[in-house]
Each structure stands twice: as structure tokens, then as C-alpha cells.
Amino acid sequence: HQKALDIRRELLGEKNLATAHSYNEVGASYFYLGNFQEALNAHQKALDIRRELLGEKHLDTAYSYNEVGISHYRLGNFQEALNAHQKALDIRRELLGEKNLDTAMAYFGAGAAYLNLGNFQEALNAHQKALDIRRELLGEKNLGTAEAYLGTGFAYLRLGNLQLALNAHQKALDIKRELLGEKHLDTASLYYQIGVLHYCLGNFQLALNAHQKALDIKRELLGEKHLDTAYSYNEVGVSHYRLGNFQEALNAHQKALDIRRELLGEKNLDTAHSYNGVGTSHYRLGNFQEALNANQKALDIRRELLGEKHLDTAYSYNEVGVSHYRLGNFQEALNAHQKALDIRRELLGEKNLATAHSYNEVGASYFYLGNFQEALNAHQKALDIRRELLGEKHLDTAYSYNEVGISHYRLGNFQEALNAHQKALDIRRELLGEKNLATAHSYNEVGASYFYLGNFQEALNAHQKTLDIRQDLLGEKHLGTTDSYQWLGITYSRLGDKNKAVEYLQKAIDIAKQELGENHQTTRQYIQILQQIQAQ
């Protein structure tokens, strides 16, 4: 095409329709070679010639506007792309009418540009026009119709209407499965998109099913050692994780990691992402050392490639901190969580939920280091942020009230502890109901605070509520139930009812012996309390 262009320019001159045609062909060739700037240059030349020789209102001029628009789009010049596609659309609507496939193509191009400019409603309108035309002229079972469904699906997604987005993607999948077959990469791509939408809707089993379909196709067509295959392994792992299938999640993330390490190398952000998936899966399986090792790998890669001050680096610091915490390395946990907090405060600001989360983790680390005042300060920060951003009646707000209460309790501020735990209890009762273990936990903390304030009757009432819930949800032979029996025993003792005290402590001892053994520390502690009461 370049040879033809050179000849035509020399023999016919620049301003000639045959020369314009060659510019168009050169542009198309550059486009498919991925050289979008050269493609744009050539298509712009063709457009300039056609506008001068044919005028604005001509179908060949409209065609060149379309090609210029597509090239701008691939270069990320979305406003210029929109302008060109709108020109093509105006010409085609006037010359060809609304119900024409070229008009539909111009609508589609405008919709894509609107989508990337953030004008999602206009994008939906344009893609819907393209869909309506193609359905009428091509029918439902046509690849062009499928692409138009995808356009509306992406617009619905960006508008936040996930169910309508899913419906549109499902339509596109049905068409492509019928026309292209199950074992086709376009079909696999749609399974992936549908998996993502199901995941966002909380349909984790359906998400897993879709991602597994995509994985099976990619493994057969692309092979095991391919980056797209690794990507699908990652999505399968994420879905298994949300379903609580942590071993299956680990297996999938490990597969993704092995492929990415081989094809991309160790120092790659996708490799870091897979290390993170492996780490979180190990964590939920209770393999805290393996979790730490994987999360540390992710952190090292992200620090090197993204720098210290990056949100993904902060996330990895958080995961490293959590792993250290579960291993009992509270100082190392604190160091990591403090790093995450510093980054998030700088990049996200103080009033951000991720910042609040880091304050919470810093507070928990200080607590287990025995620095209860610093723990209280951090948990209070988290509480203040959550109350402002989430409101009073939110479970995360209740959680922060609980942590504030525990910190006050360990500082001996029992009235402040009671106030905080009562707030947590009120929220949990309203949002979770009476018969819930988190509600039971708050009753227990309220009871403990009343106990140390010397208000034993109120303590008894709260601990009885805790016992009732735990017996109902956990059963009689559970250590949570045992803890409630222990609290009731010592509370009855302080109320002067020695017989009740002995009865409840004996119940606690009997369950502890059966579940933990006679020589367990908890069992011995209960026996010691009982002996002290009997000696009174």
C-alpha cells in the first residue's frame, strides 16, 4: 500500500481520490500493526483530501471520520475520537438514515468514546441505538448484535446497574456461544466478564462457575503456560476464597503464581498480585508463616516497582502486619501497620476508611504489646473516622466501639468501657438482632464492665443474656458457653449466692475438662476460682 501511495502521489498528486484511498489502506495497515499514530496520520490525510474533493456530506468522508475516530480512540484521545465519530454519525444519519448498519457503527464508536470520557448515560444512549439498529437489520443471532449488547453492558456497569450489565453480557455470551462455539477465546472473554459481574453482585458460586469455564477454554486453546490462563486461575482463586474454599483458592493462586513467575519473572506486579493471593489463602488456612513469606514477597516487589508511597505497597504492609500479628510478633506487626497507616494518611487523607482500618490494626498491635493508652488513641481515631463516614449505625462503627471499650477496660476506665460497649451492643442488636454471636460478645463486655464497676446485678443480667445466645447458637459444650458460665459463677459469688456460684462454675469446669482436658490452663483457672469461692 505504501508503494501504491508513492506512485499515486507522484503521478496523480496529493489531492486525488485514489491517493486518498491509498492513505486509507496505509492507515489500516499501520492500525493492525499497532502503530496508531501513523494510522491516525494516514487516515487524517485521507480525510483532508475527501473533504476537499467530495465535501463534508459524503459517505467516503464519513468513512474517513470513522477511521480517524478509531485511531484517536486507540491513542487515548477520547474527546477527539468522539468528535470524529459524531461527524461520521451526522453524515450517515443524513445520507443513509437511522436504520443503517454504518449509522449503527458510528453510534457504537460514539458510545465507546463517551464511555471513556466518563459520560456514561450518553454512552448507554449511543450503544442502545447501535443495538436497536443491529437487532432489526441483522437479527438477534449476529456477532455485530453481540458487540452492541456488550457496549450497553459496559455502559450499565459504569452507571452502577450491575444486574442490567449482567443481562446484556449474558445476551452477548449466548450469541457468541451459538455462533463461535464454546471453545473460542471470545466466549472465554465473556465468561470472564460475567464472572466479574456475578462476583460484584455477591453471586460467588456463579462467579466461580463462569471463571472456571473461562479457565477451561483458555487452558485448552492457549495452554497452561499463558498469561491469560494465569489470569483466569487468579479469578477462580478469588471466587473460591469468597466461598470459603481456602484450599481450592490456594491451589488456584499458586498455579497463577507459577505461570507468572516463569513468564514474567519475579519482579513483576502481576507476580506480586499472585503472591498476595497465595498469602491470603494461607492465612485463612491458618498457615501464618507461609502467609507471611508470600506477603513479604509481594511487599518487596511492590516497594521496588511502585515505591514506598503507593496504595498497593500499603496494602502489602497491612498483609505482612496481619501475618506477624497471628504469629505473635506484635512489634513487627506494629511496624508494618504503622507503615501502611503513614502511606494511607498521606495518599488518602485522614478521613478515609482504609486509613481507619490501619488505625484499627495499629491499635490491636499496641494492645497486645501492653501499651493500652496508645491502643486507645488509635482505636478512637478509627472510631471517629467510621462514625463520620459510615454513620453511627454501622457494624464497623460497632467494632470500633468494642475496641475502644476493651482499651478503656484494660486502662481501668470501667465507666468509659461500659459506655463504649453499650454503644456497640445497641448497634449490633439493631443491625444483627438479639440472637447473634457479635451481640453476645457485646453483652459479655457490658457485663464485665458492670462487674468491675461493682454493679453485680446488671453484670448478672448481661452475662445471662450472653449465655442464652451462646447456648442457642453454639450449644452447651462450647468454650464460649463455658466462658459465660464462669462469668455467671463469679458474679453470683459477688451477689452472695454461693450455691449458684458453685453450680455455674462446676458447669464451666465440666465442659472445660471435656473439651480442653483436666490439665489445661483454662480448666485449672476455673478450678482455682471454684476453690476460692468454696473457701469463703
Side-chain angles (χ1 to χ4, degrees), residues 195-206:
V196 170
L197 289 166
H198 274 306
Y199 185 91
C200 293
L201 285 164
N203 307 327
F204 302 124
Q205 184 60 55
L206 294 176

Side-chain angles (χ1 to χ4, degrees), residues 8-269:
R8 286 170 171 168
R9 288 178 67 196
E10 184 173 348
L11 299 181
L12 300 174
E14 184 78 6
K15 295 179 180 180
N16 183 279
L17 292 178
T19 306
H21 179 77
S22 286
Y23 272 124
N24 180 73
E25 298 301 324
V26 166
S29 300
Y30 273 127
F31 186 91
Y32 283 101
L33 286 169
N35 192 333
F36 304 122
Q37 185 59 57
E38 290 297 336
L40 174 61
N41 296 343
H43 285 306
Q44 186 65 52
K45 292 272 195 179
L47 173 61
D48 293 342
I49 297 167
R50 286 169 171 169
R51 288 179 66 195
E52 184 170 347
L53 298 182
L54 299 173
E56 185 77 7
K57 293 181 180 180
H58 191 281
L59 292 180
D60 286 351
T61 306
Y63 183 84
S64 284
Y65 272 125
N66 182 77
E67 299 307 297
V68 165
I70 292 172
S71 300
H72 272 304
Y73 183 90
R74 294 302 293 269
L75 286 165
N77 308 327
F78 302 120
Q79 186 59 56
E80 291 82 351
L82 176 61
N83 295 344
H85 284 303
Q86 190 63 54
K87 291 274 193 178
L89 176 60
D90 293 342
I91 297 166
R92 287 169 172 172
R93 288 178 66 193
E94 182 173 347
L95 298 182
L96 298 172
E98 185 78 6
K99 292 181 180 179
N100 181 277
L101 292 179
D102 285 346
T103 306
M105 180 182 291
Y107 272 124
F108 189 89
Y114 273 127
L115 193 69
N116 282 279
L117 286 168
N119 196 333
F120 306 129
Q121 187 58 55
E122 290 296 335
L124 176 60
N125 296 343
H127 281 304
Q128 188 63 52
K129 293 271 195 179
L131 175 60
D132 293 341
I133 297 167
R134 286 173 176 174
R135 288 179 67 195
E136 182 171 349
L137 299 182
L138 298 173
E140 186 77 7
K141 295 178 181 179
N142 182 276
L143 293 179
T145 305
E147 290 303 318
Y149 271 122
L150 274 179
T152 60
F154 283 120
Y156 277 126
L157 175 62
R158 298 303 293 272
L159 284 166
N161 196 326
L162 299 179
Q163 188 58 56
L164 289 179
L166 176 61
N167 296 345
H169 278 81
Q170 187 64 52
K171 291 272 196 180
L173 174 62
D174 293 342
I175 296 168
K176 290 198 172 183
R177 284 178 65 193
E178 183 167 349
L179 298 181
L180 300 174
E182 182 78 4
K183 294 178 181 180
H184 192 283
L185 290 179
D186 282 359
T187 307
S189 176
L190 273 165
Y191 273 126
Y192 162 76
Q193 295 291 343
I194 284 171
V196 170
L197 289 166
H198 274 306
Y199 185 91
C200 293
L201 285 164
N203 307 327
F204 302 124
Q205 184 60 55
L206 294 176
L208 174 60
N209 296 345
H211 285 305
Q212 186 65 53
K213 293 261 195 181
L215 174 60
D216 293 342
I217 297 167
K218 289 174 179 177
R219 288 179 67 195
E220 183 168 349
L221 298 182
L222 301 173
E224 185 76 6
K225 293 181 180 180
H226 192 282
L227 292 179
D228 284 352
T229 306
Y231 200 82
S232 282
Y233 270 124
N234 180 79
E235 298 307 306
V236 165
V238 170
S239 300
H240 271 305
Y241 184 90
R242 292 303 297 267
L243 286 166
N245 307 328
F246 302 122
Q247 185 61 54
E248 290 83 351
L250 175 60
N251 296 343
H253 284 304
Q254 187 65 52
K255 291 272 194 179
L257 175 60
D258 293 342
I259 297 167
R260 286 169 169 171
R261 287 179 67 194
E262 183 171 348
L263 299 182
L264 299 172
E266 185 78 5
K267 293 180 180 179
N268 181 277
L269 292 179

Side-chain angles (χ1 to χ4, degrees), residues 342-372:
D342 293 342
I343 297 167
R344 286 169 170 171
R345 288 179 65 194
E346 182 170 348
L347 298 182
L348 299 173
E350 185 77 5
K351 294 179 180 179
N352 183 278
L353 292 178
T355 305
H357 178 80
S358 285
Y359 272 123
N360 180 74
E361 298 299 329
V362 165
S365 301
Y366 272 126
F367 186 90
Y368 281 96
L369 285 168
N371 193 332
F372 304 123

Side-chain angles (χ1 to χ4, degrees), residues 505-516:
L505 276 162
Q506 190 61 56
K507 287 189 177 187
I509 291 166
D510 292 343
I511 299 170
K513 281 182 178 180
Q514 185 172 347
E515 299 299 316
L516 299 172

